[in-house]
């Protein structure tokens, strides 16, 4: 475990905070000082279990009394926005689960507030830190891979993201990953829309490449498959476990396997917590920004608008 001397409190002590986030934050070397939840008993239990000094029901009291460097926020989208604003106004850095706010406009306003305050506001875009996604990005950035022509992202969102639903929770992750891998999006349409959770979005990128994001939900557990193709090669990241590279002309390739050890390592949450701790301690670069999260939510809002406008063709009325 590394020691960063970053003192944090958590806001929202639910399942994800207890099972994933706090273990990763502690493994990343953060000092866990206080827990806050509307459910006081839950906050007390979490404080005891993870060795924090105090438990709170009120966000403001925790931040005012505990001399925190940063807060971690993990609840519904409305909580993320409220807690982030409160923390930023009190001079506290913030890491927040996705989505940081219910709308792109609100997320953008909070991104601007963080910039104005000179504080770090990092959204929980953990796929940017998942070792397989990092490896995929490094692989396709090599000159021998060539210019990206196409990205296919197949996504099976799980049922359990009940707070926000796949369009607010999962879709921004997928769209952010397209931007992270392939650069900025220049155009978007929903090519097929069977239901809110089963759809295909077609994207054009500023580079001239095309991308598809296809959803088929619900699934029993989260799954992803990302295929990136150039004229000469294809790289495939599956389940955050492997990255396969094939060069067509040379008929050679390689397979990379993720190191499975450690809480949150494969998912990216551990590396994400390490990056946040280092940035707060002034020892690492600022990474995924709140502006990235706002852009991802904005693109997801465009997909949702496309869904609401209906299908171009729904399989009826075209007999010949
Ligand atoms: N990145 C991932 O892979 C992943 C996976 C699961 C969940 N999540 C996200 O984690 C977040 C939490 O999910 P969960 O399953 O732990 O939910 P949960 O319902 O178990 O926990 C949410 C907690 O927030 C608390 N809360 C709500 N409003 C509050 C307020 N004003 N002040 C203090 N506490 C408040 C609730 O009392 C509850 O304990 C969601 O945003 C979810 O989308 C992310």
């Amino acid at each position: 475990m590394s020691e960063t001397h970053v003192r944090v409190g958590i806001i929202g002590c639910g399942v994800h905070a207890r099972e994933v986030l706090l273990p990763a934050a502690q493994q990343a070397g953060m000092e866990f000082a206080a827990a806050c939840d509307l459910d006081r008993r839950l906050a007390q239990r979490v404080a005891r279990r993870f060795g924090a000094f105090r438990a709170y029901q009120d966000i403001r009291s925790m931040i005012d009394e505990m001399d925190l460097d940063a807060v971690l926020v993990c609840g519904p989208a409305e909580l993320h926005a409220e807690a982030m604003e409160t923390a930023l106004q009190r001079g506290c850095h913030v890491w927040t689960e996705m989505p940081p706010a219910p709308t792109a406009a609100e997320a953008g306003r909070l991104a601007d507030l963080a910039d104005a305050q000179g504080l770090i506001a990092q959204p929980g875009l953990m796929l940017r830190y998942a070792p397989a996604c990092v490896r995929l990005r490094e692989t396709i950035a090599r000159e021998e891979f060539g210019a990206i022509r196409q990205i296919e992202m197949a996504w099976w969102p799980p049922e359990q993201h009940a707070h926000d639903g796949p369009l607010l929770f999962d879709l921004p992750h997928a769209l952010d990953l397209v931007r992270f891998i392939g650069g900025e999006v220049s155009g978007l349409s929903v090519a097929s829309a069977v239901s809110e959770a089963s759809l295909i979005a077609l994207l054009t990128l500023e580079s001239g490449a095309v991308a598809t994001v296809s959803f088929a939900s619900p699934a029993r557990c989260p799954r992803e498959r990302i295929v990136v193709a150039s004229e000469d090669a294809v790289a495939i990241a599956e389940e955050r476990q492997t990255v396969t590279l094939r060069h067509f002309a040379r008929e050679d390739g390689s397979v990379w396997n993720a190191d499975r050890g450690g809480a949150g390592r494969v998912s990216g949450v551990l590396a994400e917590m390490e990056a946040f701790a280092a940035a707060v301690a002034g020892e690492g670069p600022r990474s995924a920004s709140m502006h990235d999260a706002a852009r991802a939510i904005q693109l997801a809002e465009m997909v949702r608008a496309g869904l609401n406008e209906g299908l171009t063709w729904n399989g009826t009325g075209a007999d010949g």
Side-chain angles (χ1 to χ4, degrees), residues 26-48:
Q26 288 193 318
Q27 205 177 336
M30 295 186 213
E31 180 196 1
F32 177 46
C36 174
D37 199 289
L38 283 181
D39 180 341
R40 177 185 286 277
R41 287 185 167 191
L42 178 59
Q44 287 167 339
R45 277 207 310 276
V46 166
R48 263 198 310 277

mmCIF file of all heavy atoms in Angstrom, residues 26-48:
data_model
loop_
_atom_site.group_PDB
_atom_site.id
_atom_site.type_symbol
_atom_site.label_atom_id
_atom_site.label_comp_id
_atom_site.label_asym_id
_atom_site.label_seq_id
_atom_site.Cartn_x
_atom_site.Cartn_y
_atom_site.Cartn_z
ATOM 1 N N GLN A 26 -8.630 2.774 0.314
ATOM 2 C CA GLN A 26 -7.661 2.451 1.367
ATOM 3 C C GLN A 26 -6.428 1.781 0.774
ATOM 4 O O GLN A 26 -5.297 2.067 1.161
ATOM 5 C CB GLN A 26 -8.313 1.572 2.435
ATOM 6 C CG GLN A 26 -9.307 2.386 3.273
ATOM 7 C CD GLN A 26 -9.752 1.687 4.531
ATOM 8 O OE1 GLN A 26 -10.018 0.489 4.516
ATOM 9 N NE2 GLN A 26 -9.847 2.429 5.620
ATOM 10 N N GLN A 27 -6.645 0.920 -0.215
ATOM 11 C CA GLN A 27 -5.494 0.281 -0.864
ATOM 12 C C GLN A 27 -4.641 1.320 -1.593
ATOM 13 O O GLN A 27 -3.425 1.151 -1.718
ATOM 14 C CB GLN A 27 -5.980 -0.790 -1.843
ATOM 15 C CG GLN A 27 -4.929 -1.861 -2.085
ATOM 16 C CD GLN A 27 -5.437 -2.965 -3.007
ATOM 17 O OE1 GLN A 27 -6.640 -3.197 -3.127
ATOM 18 N NE2 GLN A 27 -4.502 -3.657 -3.653
ATOM 19 N N ALA A 28 -5.292 2.394 -2.044
ATOM 20 C CA ALA A 28 -4.557 3.465 -2.725
ATOM 21 C C ALA A 28 -3.863 4.393 -1.730
ATOM 22 O O ALA A 28 -3.229 5.367 -2.127
ATOM 23 C CB ALA A 28 -5.514 4.271 -3.610
ATOM 24 N N GLY A 29 -3.998 4.118 -0.433
ATOM 25 C CA GLY A 29 -3.240 4.856 0.572
ATOM 26 C C GLY A 29 -3.937 6.064 1.160
ATOM 27 O O GLY A 29 -3.340 6.837 1.905
ATOM 28 N N MET A 30 -5.223 6.258 0.856
ATOM 29 C CA MET A 30 -5.925 7.413 1.436
ATOM 30 C C MET A 30 -6.243 7.153 2.898
ATOM 31 O O MET A 30 -6.513 6.013 3.290
ATOM 32 C CB MET A 30 -7.235 7.665 0.688
ATOM 33 C CG MET A 30 -7.038 8.081 -0.753
ATOM 34 S SD MET A 30 -8.619 8.517 -1.501
ATOM 35 C CE MET A 30 -8.372 8.000 -3.190
ATOM 36 N N GLU A 31 -6.234 8.214 3.682
ATOM 37 C CA GLU A 31 -6.651 8.111 5.087
ATOM 38 C C GLU A 31 -8.163 8.353 5.140
ATOM 39 O O GLU A 31 -8.636 9.436 4.766
ATOM 40 C CB GLU A 31 -5.932 9.156 5.942
ATOM 41 C CG GLU A 31 -6.343 9.078 7.394
ATOM 42 C CD GLU A 31 -5.950 10.318 8.195
ATOM 43 O OE1 GLU A 31 -5.366 11.245 7.599
ATOM 44 O OE2 GLU A 31 -6.257 10.352 9.394
ATOM 45 N N PHE A 32 -8.919 7.379 5.624
ATOM 46 C CA PHE A 32 -10.376 7.489 5.651
ATOM 47 C C PHE A 32 -10.783 8.061 7.010
ATOM 48 O O PHE A 32 -10.677 7.383 8.032
ATOM 49 C CB PHE A 32 -10.981 6.109 5.408
ATOM 50 C CG PHE A 32 -12.477 6.084 5.487
ATOM 51 C CD1 PHE A 32 -13.245 7.048 4.851
ATOM 52 C CD2 PHE A 32 -13.128 5.078 6.179
ATOM 53 C CE1 PHE A 32 -14.631 7.026 4.928
ATOM 54 C CE2 PHE A 32 -14.513 5.039 6.268
ATOM 55 C CZ PHE A 32 -15.259 6.023 5.635
ATOM 56 N N ALA A 33 -11.245 9.335 7.018
ATOM 57 C CA ALA A 33 -11.462 10.026 8.290
ATOM 58 C C ALA A 33 -12.915 10.059 8.735
ATOM 59 O O ALA A 33 -13.192 10.101 9.936
ATOM 60 C CB ALA A 33 -10.929 11.455 8.184
ATOM 61 N N ALA A 34 -13.864 10.086 7.788
ATOM 62 C CA ALA A 34 -15.265 10.256 8.197
ATOM 63 C C ALA A 34 -16.220 9.693 7.156
ATOM 64 O O ALA A 34 -15.909 9.664 5.965
ATOM 65 C CB ALA A 34 -15.563 11.738 8.411
ATOM 66 N N ALA A 35 -17.383 9.258 7.649
ATOM 67 C CA ALA A 35 -18.413 8.695 6.769
ATOM 68 C C ALA A 35 -19.704 9.479 6.945
ATOM 69 O O ALA A 35 -20.071 9.834 8.074
ATOM 70 C CB ALA A 35 -18.646 7.225 7.114
ATOM 71 N N CYS A 36 -20.413 9.718 5.848
ATOM 72 C CA CYS A 36 -21.676 10.453 5.915
ATOM 73 C C CYS A 36 -22.743 9.703 5.123
ATOM 74 O O CYS A 36 -22.501 9.298 3.983
ATOM 75 C CB CYS A 36 -21.469 11.851 5.334
ATOM 76 S SG CYS A 36 -22.981 12.812 5.201
ATOM 77 N N ASP A 37 -23.889 9.502 5.734
ATOM 78 C CA ASP A 37 -25.034 8.917 5.029
ATOM 79 C C ASP A 37 -26.302 9.419 5.708
ATOM 80 O O ASP A 37 -26.308 9.649 6.925
ATOM 81 C CB ASP A 37 -24.985 7.379 5.075
ATOM 82 C CG ASP A 37 -25.872 6.750 3.992
ATOM 83 O OD1 ASP A 37 -27.118 6.812 4.107
ATOM 84 O OD2 ASP A 37 -25.310 6.207 3.019
ATOM 85 N N LEU A 38 -27.370 9.553 4.927
ATOM 86 C CA LEU A 38 -28.664 9.926 5.502
ATOM 87 C C LEU A 38 -29.057 8.924 6.580
ATOM 88 O O LEU A 38 -29.727 9.276 7.549
ATOM 89 C CB LEU A 38 -29.738 9.925 4.398
ATOM 90 C CG LEU A 38 -29.744 11.113 3.450
ATOM 91 C CD1 LEU A 38 -30.885 10.949 2.448
ATOM 92 C CD2 LEU A 38 -29.873 12.424 4.203
ATOM 93 N N ASP A 39 -28.653 7.685 6.381
ATOM 94 C CA ASP A 39 -28.884 6.619 7.361
ATOM 95 C C ASP A 39 -27.727 6.649 8.369
ATOM 96 O O ASP A 39 -26.635 6.147 8.097
ATOM 97 C CB ASP A 39 -28.947 5.286 6.607
ATOM 98 C CG ASP A 39 -29.174 4.092 7.525
ATOM 99 O OD1 ASP A 39 -28.937 4.215 8.743
ATOM 100 O OD2 ASP A 39 -29.567 3.038 6.994
ATOM 101 N N ARG A 40 -27.985 7.250 9.530
ATOM 102 C CA ARG A 40 -26.911 7.470 10.507
ATOM 103 C C ARG A 40 -26.260 6.163 10.960
ATOM 104 O O ARG A 40 -25.038 6.068 11.079
ATOM 105 C CB ARG A 40 -27.454 8.218 11.741
ATOM 106 C CG ARG A 40 -26.398 8.415 12.821
ATOM 107 C CD ARG A 40 -26.981 9.037 14.066
ATOM 108 N NE ARG A 40 -27.276 10.445 13.886
ATOM 109 C CZ ARG A 40 -26.365 11.413 14.018
ATOM 110 N NH1 ARG A 40 -25.136 11.107 14.328
ATOM 111 N NH2 ARG A 40 -26.702 12.663 13.866
ATOM 112 N N ARG A 41 -27.101 5.133 11.169
ATOM 113 C CA ARG A 41 -26.546 3.855 11.635
ATOM 114 C C ARG A 41 -25.616 3.243 10.601
ATOM 115 O O ARG A 41 -24.592 2.653 10.936
ATOM 116 C CB ARG A 41 -27.669 2.876 11.947
ATOM 117 C CG ARG A 41 -28.375 3.249 13.210
ATOM 118 C CD ARG A 41 -29.395 2.219 13.553
ATOM 119 N NE ARG A 41 -29.866 2.409 14.901
ATOM 120 C CZ ARG A 41 -30.597 1.546 15.543
ATOM 121 N NH1 ARG A 41 -30.936 0.415 14.967
ATOM 122 N NH2 ARG A 41 -31.004 1.788 16.768
ATOM 123 N N LEU A 42 -26.007 3.386 9.331
ATOM 124 C CA LEU A 42 -25.155 2.865 8.260
ATOM 125 C C LEU A 42 -23.814 3.614 8.259
ATOM 126 O O LEU A 42 -22.744 3.001 8.164
ATOM 127 C CB LEU A 42 -25.863 3.016 6.906
ATOM 128 C CG LEU A 42 -25.086 2.563 5.670
ATOM 129 C CD1 LEU A 42 -24.720 1.077 5.776
ATOM 130 C CD2 LEU A 42 -25.900 2.813 4.403
ATOM 131 N N ALA A 43 -23.885 4.938 8.399
ATOM 132 C CA ALA A 43 -22.646 5.734 8.438
ATOM 133 C C ALA A 43 -21.760 5.283 9.600
ATOM 134 O O ALA A 43 -20.539 5.158 9.460
ATOM 135 C CB ALA A 43 -22.981 7.219 8.555
ATOM 136 N N GLN A 44 -22.391 5.020 10.748
ATOM 137 C CA GLN A 44 -21.616 4.574 11.918
ATOM 138 C C GLN A 44 -20.969 3.208 11.666
ATOM 139 O O GLN A 44 -19.804 2.989 11.994
ATOM 140 C CB GLN A 44 -22.519 4.515 13.164
ATOM 141 C CG GLN A 44 -22.868 5.899 13.683
ATOM 142 C CD GLN A 44 -23.999 5.872 14.699
ATOM 143 O OE1 GLN A 44 -24.786 4.929 14.761
ATOM 144 N NE2 GLN A 44 -24.098 6.941 15.492
ATOM 145 N N ARG A 45 -21.751 2.305 11.051
ATOM 146 C CA ARG A 45 -21.205 0.960 10.774
ATOM 147 C C ARG A 45 -20.019 1.037 9.820
ATOM 148 O O ARG A 45 -19.002 0.387 10.008
ATOM 149 C CB ARG A 45 -22.292 0.067 10.149
ATOM 150 C CG ARG A 45 -23.216 -0.582 11.158
ATOM 151 C CD ARG A 45 -23.805 -1.893 10.623
ATOM 152 N NE ARG A 45 -24.387 -1.796 9.291
ATOM 153 C CZ ARG A 45 -25.632 -1.381 9.055
ATOM 154 N NH1 ARG A 45 -26.406 -1.003 10.039
ATOM 155 N NH2 ARG A 45 -26.102 -1.343 7.829
ATOM 156 N N VAL A 46 -20.173 1.868 8.789
ATOM 157 C CA VAL A 46 -19.100 1.989 7.786
ATOM 158 C C VAL A 46 -17.865 2.659 8.408
ATOM 159 O O VAL A 46 -16.728 2.245 8.157
ATOM 160 C CB VAL A 46 -19.615 2.756 6.543
ATOM 161 C CG1 VAL A 46 -18.475 3.192 5.635
ATOM 162 C CG2 VAL A 46 -20.591 1.876 5.778
ATOM 163 N N ALA A 47 -18.102 3.660 9.251
ATOM 164 C CA ALA A 47 -16.971 4.320 9.931
ATOM 165 C C ALA A 47 -16.196 3.289 10.764
ATOM 166 O O ALA A 47 -14.962 3.232 10.715
ATOM 167 C CB ALA A 47 -17.477 5.466 10.807
ATOM 168 N N ARG A 48 -16.947 2.469 11.509
ATOM 169 C CA ARG A 48 -16.282 1.449 12.345
ATOM 170 C C ARG A 48 -15.527 0.441 11.496
ATOM 171 O O ARG A 48 -14.364 0.150 11.742
ATOM 172 C CB ARG A 48 -17.334 0.704 13.183
ATOM 173 C CG ARG A 48 -17.471 1.253 14.605
ATOM 174 C CD ARG A 48 -18.171 0.257 15.515
ATOM 175 N NE ARG A 48 -19.408 -0.264 14.985
ATOM 176 C CZ ARG A 48 -20.582 0.360 15.075
ATOM 177 N NH1 ARG A 48 -20.674 1.516 15.686
ATOM 178 N NH2 ARG A 48 -21.682 -0.183 14.574
#
